[in-house]
Amino acid sequence: MAKDIADMLADGELTTFEAAGQLALAQSMQKRLKTQIDALKEFLTDRMDPKEHLTTDLGTVTAKRGSEPRWRVKDPVAFAQWLKEHGEEESVEQVPYPKEWAAKPDAIEHLVGQFGGEQPAGVELSRGSGDTVAVSRVKDWSAIFQDMQAQDQARRLLGIEGPEADGKDDESKDFWA
């Protein structure tokens, strides 16, 4: 079995440039697969009855009934204001709301410091986010498919054994079929 990419990275088997190439390849494959998945889902949704199951040797596909659109409140304060403006005051509770400047991160940080590190009620500290990379201008899947070196990289990325992995030079096998 091919070595997992995380293990290869941990073992220092890929350079930064090679890892960047693998990421671009995986991104291209993901884009191609999403297109295929979307088309297949649309095809099956149109042809399957709700709650129908189709079991294949690769997995089970189940049709799921959608739901009707329904209203939901995303900004309660704005909705309350709209209700008041339209004569629906009995549908509105009077609740104090912080002024815009008081809800800014720097103002909250100041308040936390001012009150000995106490976290104000109704306020949470977000997790933040880590550094990342973005992939753009990835090679089109059809171009990757025609590029033998890219095919070899894709096989390794997907953990597909090929003739180079087992030492045999069997070019009659089509690993992409």
Side-chain angles (χ1 to χ4, degrees), residues 72-92:
R72 72 182 169 125
V73 176
K74 289 184 80 173
D75 184 344
V77 175
F79 183 48
Q81 184 64 36
W82 184 90
L83 287 167
K84 287 172 69 175
E85 290 171 0
H86 289 81
E88 295 292 326
E89 292 86 3
E90 70 278 358
S91 300
V92 179

Side-chain angles (χ1 to χ4, degrees), residues 131-142:
D131 296 342
T132 188
V133 296
V135 178
S136 61
R137 294 186 291 164
V138 295
K139 196 174 194 180
D140 186 65
W141 179 251
S142 59

Side-chain angles (χ1 to χ4, degrees), residues 102-117:
K104 293 192 182 224
D106 289 344
I108 296 170
E109 182 73 28
H110 176 75
L111 288 169
V112 168
Q114 182 179 341
F115 292 98

Side-chain angles (χ1 to χ4, degrees), residues 6-122:
D7 292 336
M8 292 173 69
L9 292 168
D11 293 344
E13 295 178 20
L14 293 176
T15 66
T16 304
F17 185 80
E18 291 168 331
Q22 291 291 312
L23 177 60
L25 176 65
Q27 191 78 36
S28 180
M29 293 167 67
Q30 181 182 31
K31 183 178 175 182
R32 173 67 174 169
L33 288 172
K34 182 183 180 331
T35 300
Q36 291 177 332
I37 288 168
D38 290 348
L40 290 165
K41 281 183 173 182
E42 183 178 335
F43 175 85
L44 290 169
T45 299
D46 290 343
R47 287 163 179 79
M48 291 176 69
D49 292 327
K51 298 185 181 180
E52 180 180 359
H53 300 277
L54 296 176
T55 301
T56 72
D57 57 339
L58 299 174
T60 300
V61 176
T62 304
K64 294 186 177 186
R65 184 179 305 266
S67 63
E68 293 295 320
R70 54 186 176 150
W71 296 104
R72 72 182 169 125
V73 176
K74 289 184 80 173
D75 184 344
V77 175
F79 183 48
Q81 184 64 36
W82 184 90
L83 287 167
K84 287 172 69 175
E85 290 171 0
H86 289 81
E88 295 292 326
E89 292 86 3
E90 70 278 358
S91 300
V92 179
E93 293 185 44
Q94 298 300 320
V95 178
Y97 196 77
K99 293 185 177 181
E100 187 176 329
W101 61 265
K104 293 192 182 224
D106 289 344
I108 296 170
E109 182 73 28
H110 176 75
L111 288 169
V112 168
Q114 182 179 341
F115 292 98
E118 180 182 346
Q119 180 176 334

